[in-house]
Amino acid sequence: MKSLPSQLPVFIQVAKSGSFSSAARALGVSAPAVSKAITKLEDEWQMKLFFRSSHSLSLTQTGQQLFDSLGPSMASIQDTIDQIADDTSAAGGTIKVNLPASSIGQEHILPLVMEFMTLYPQIICDLHFDDRNVDLVEHGFDLGIGVAINQDSRLIARPLLKQSVGIYAAPTT
């Protein structure tokens, strides 16, 4: 059984373009690189795929059969890759967030979350307010904001702000 070589996309492009130089431009590589890829493919499979002359390039019967079989599949694969890339470029889905129930969560962070939701209406924020130190992974949270740092190695923690705490009193009442 022949293995699937990495040169197949080059073969498909050359067959579609009708020349090494056109295929090279479409693939963003040099014409000699395309020529080497086709030669390597023909050597590995021990079959001639193209008739070459100084003025023309055409598929052999074997090359035409391979192109007819692979062309639609490669186009389908490319369409799928393009669709996935389009899907991931648009932000969407649900983000499960744990916020402190204290004033930090309600007064300071919640307005920022609301602003975020206005900018990205296709994102749903599933908000939970809890001051306890919750296991974010176990409870399925994507993001947690809190006043204590959990040293769980599965998490990435970033400080949002630093606050000094102190006891203050007036000298006289």
Side-chain angles (χ1 to χ4, degrees), residues 121-166:
Q122 65 277 18
I123 296 178
I124 298 165
C125 291
D126 180 8
L127 305 177
H128 298 259
F129 292 90
D130 193 343
D131 283 328
R132 294 178 297 142
N133 195 0
V134 177
D135 185 330
L136 299 175
V137 176
E138 181 181 320
H139 290 90
F141 286 102
D142 298 302
L143 174 67
I145 298 175
V147 294
I149 295 178
N150 185 340
Q151 298 301 324
D152 189 334
S153 64
R154 299 172 294 175
L155 304 177
I156 299 171
R158 301 280 187 266
L160 290 177
L161 59 98
K162 293 185 182 200
Q163 185 175 4
S164 299
V165 178

Side-chain angles (χ1 to χ4, degrees), residues 94-121:
T94 301
I95 300 174
K96 188 174 178 183
V97 183
N98 187 49
L99 297 168
S102 64
S103 66
I104 292 173
Q106 298 283 340
E107 295 173 18
H108 299 288
I109 298 172
L110 184 59
L112 297 173
V113 172
M114 299 306 287
E115 183 179 331
F116 173 85
M117 291 172 64
T118 302
L119 291 172
Y120 301 97

Side-chain angles (χ1 to χ4, degrees), residues 51-103:
F51 293 119
R52 299 173 182 85
S53 74
S54 58
H55 301 292
S56 68
L57 177 74
S58 61
L59 288 164
T60 64
Q61 183 178 354
T62 303
Q64 187 65 53
Q65 183 181 1
L66 183 63
F67 177 69
D68 291 344
S69 296
L70 293 179
S73 298
M74 295 297 279
S76 177
I77 290 168
Q78 188 62 53
D79 289 346
T80 301
I81 290 169
D82 292 344
Q83 181 182 0
I84 290 169
D86 290 344
D87 289 347
T88 58
S89 65
T94 301
I95 300 174
K96 188 174 178 183
V97 183
N98 187 49
L99 297 168
S102 64
S103 66

